[in-house]
Amino acid sequence: MATRGPRCAGFVRYGRLDSGVALSELEQRIVRAVRDRESALLEDLRLHVGLPTGGFNEEAIEATRSLLTGRLTALGADHRTVEADPKPAWLSGSNDSGYQPMTSVCSRLGGATSGRVLIAGHMDTVHDPAGPFQELNVAPDGKTAVGPGCVDMKGGLVIAVAALEVLEEVGVPASWSFLLNGDEETGTYHSERAIRAAAKDHDFGLALEPALPSGALAIERVGSGQFMIETKGRAAHAGREFTKGVSAVTKLAECILAVSEMPEPARGRTLNIGPVRGGVATNAVPDSAAAWGNVRFPDAAAADEIGAMLDALATPTDAMPGVVVRRSFNRPAKPLTPRTEALAMRARSAAEDLGQSLPFEKTGGVCDGNIMQDAGLPTIDTVGVRGGGLHTPDEWIDLTSLVERCQMLAILIARLSAGGSAAD
């Protein structure tokens, strides 16, 4: 297998170990302890990539939950579960199996009232659990590997659990909760309530999404929402009684053309439509049709603008043809706030003390970090591993980032935690 993606410029393998300049003695112990787990990190990644957690695969999601919560409770965490909330039935990609994954929250706060870190990770992927993309394959040079969910976000889960175990090993009394959900890739409808509730009990948020392609930390994100346009008409034989029919597909096409005029990418306002459904036969005038779409917006005002434009497409209930618009803008934009910037600077400080580079960027993607920050928790959400090809059969990970990002995460959690300053 060919090596995928060059190492990001500016990264120094394993940091300034024993330099005595950037890291305290206790932090150097953290660095060494993570380094000693290099082989174990790879094998743990191989294990989790081999569990096909896409497509609401209950068996694999629950196996992953058991493995991770077992290790977290072994550290003294209390494990509680939050039942899933229902997802709107009209949404594209609704789960037909009936399985709705609960959310796990493992907490070891130790009575702390400050410095409490909420770590959030999702167990699900976008990959078909019955497809051919099933396992981790390491490149001949050992620097990269490909596998379903290896970077989004099996790698993040692996390094976060290892970081907490290392802190326990070296005696840092970190204060943390680890939230695990199984529906992030489908909109976090089942787990949003659990995330918002957990956010209110913590002081810092870390989501385990992979780093941006340059290795950067995402400090600003747009918001995202879903919508559905459903049209109704009147069925008729396309030859004998064509004029008696009213085509729902034609009306839907008019709506789609109207939506195509709405995006303003320069303002960060985009709308995309797909998939589309309509008609059952070419010789029948279709009486129903529907299209699903996604929106992105930079702030609440832009979200309101998009919502108003979509709502304006709707017709009165007795209209023929008729148009019904449904929408759910459940992931608010995540602007850069002073508290989030301060948290990002602390992450950069930890990275630079390790000899690593941590640039900042904006992104058009969304994640659970949007929800965490909207709930009032300053959050940085790309503290996971480096790689690329997300959501494709070429998804790859920079294997050196398992150690590097685990070291950064462990030291950052230690510095943020109550009683865990990692001082000598």
Side-chain angles (χ1 to χ4, degrees), residues 232-252:
K232 63 179 181 178
R234 183 182 301 113
H237 190 287
R240 293 187 177 188
E241 298 183 312
F242 177 76
T243 57
K244 292 184 178 180
V246 178
S247 174
V249 168
T250 298
K251 186 61 180 178
L252 180 62

Side-chain angles (χ1 to χ4, degrees), residues 84-88 100 189-190:
D85 291 323
K87 179 179 180 179
Q100 297 183 357
Y189 286 94
H190 298 317

Side-chain angles (χ1 to χ4, degrees), residues 226-298:
Q226 316 298 325
F227 65 92
M228 176 188 183
I229 302 171
E230 187 173 21
T231 56
K232 63 179 181 178
R234 183 182 301 113
H237 190 287
R240 293 187 177 188
E241 298 183 312
F242 177 76
T243 57
K244 292 184 178 180
V246 178
S247 174
V249 168
T250 298
K251 186 61 180 178
L252 180 62
E254 294 173 2
C255 293
I256 291 173
L257 287 174
V259 171
S260 73
E261 299 295 324
M262 297 178 186
E264 291 188 36
R267 292 181 55 202
R269 189 175 83 189
T270 63
L271 297 89
N272 180 67
I273 285 186
V276 176
R277 169 188 62 77
V280 294
T282 59
N283 60 352
V285 176
D287 61 358
S288 68
W292 291 263
N294 176 266
V295 303
R296 303 289 164 121
F297 44 84

Side-chain angles (χ1 to χ4, degrees), residues 32 69 181 193 202 252 288 328 339 358 365 371 388:
R32 287 192 291 268
T69 58
N181 63 347
R193 176 174 57 88
H202 294 80
L252 180 62
S288 68
S328 173
R339 294 172 69 205
L358 192 65
I371 296 170

Side-chain angles (χ1 to χ4, degrees), residues 63-146:
T64 298
R65 185 195 311 277
S66 179
L67 287 169
L68 296 175
T69 58
R71 290 171 66 178
L72 295 169
T73 54
L75 295 174
D78 296 322
H79 176 208
R80 63 181 177 88
T81 57
V82 182
E83 291 299 316
D85 291 323
K87 179 179 180 179
W90 59 264
L91 282 167
S92 175
S94 291
N95 177 23
D96 295 327
S97 72
Y99 169 63
Q100 297 183 357
M102 67 182 74
T103 301
S104 286
V105 183
C106 294
S107 296
R108 203 187 79 167
L109 298 174
T113 57
S114 63
R116 301 161 298 180
V117 181
L118 177 61
I119 305 162
H122 62 84
M123 299 176 286
D124 58 320
T125 75
V126 302
H127 301 284
D128 181 357
F133 197 35
Q134 289 284 335
E135 61 185 13
L136 190 74
N137 288 296
V138 179
D141 62 8
K143 294 181 179 179
T144 62
V146 296

Side-chain angles (χ1 to χ4, degrees), residues 5-72:
R7 296 252 346 258
C8 297
F11 289 99
V12 180
R13 188 173 177 84
Y14 303 142
R16 304 175 186 174
L17 183 61
D18 296 321
S19 68
V21 176
L23 302 175
S24 70
E25 175 57 34
L26 182 53
E27 288 175 335
Q28 289 193 40
R29 287 172 56 197
I30 293 171
V31 170
R32 287 192 291 268
V34 172
R35 180 195 61 194
D36 291 343
R37 288 177 174 241
E38 181 174 16
S39 296
L41 287 167
L42 177 58
E43 290 311 306
D44 199 24
L45 178 66
R46 194 187 305 276
L47 169 65
H48 283 282
V49 168
L51 292 169
T53 55
F56 286 100
N57 184 0
E58 181 175 1
E59 182 179 357
I61 290 176
E62 294 306 324
T64 298
R65 185 195 311 277
S66 179
L67 287 169
L68 296 175
T69 58
R71 290 171 66 178
L72 295 169

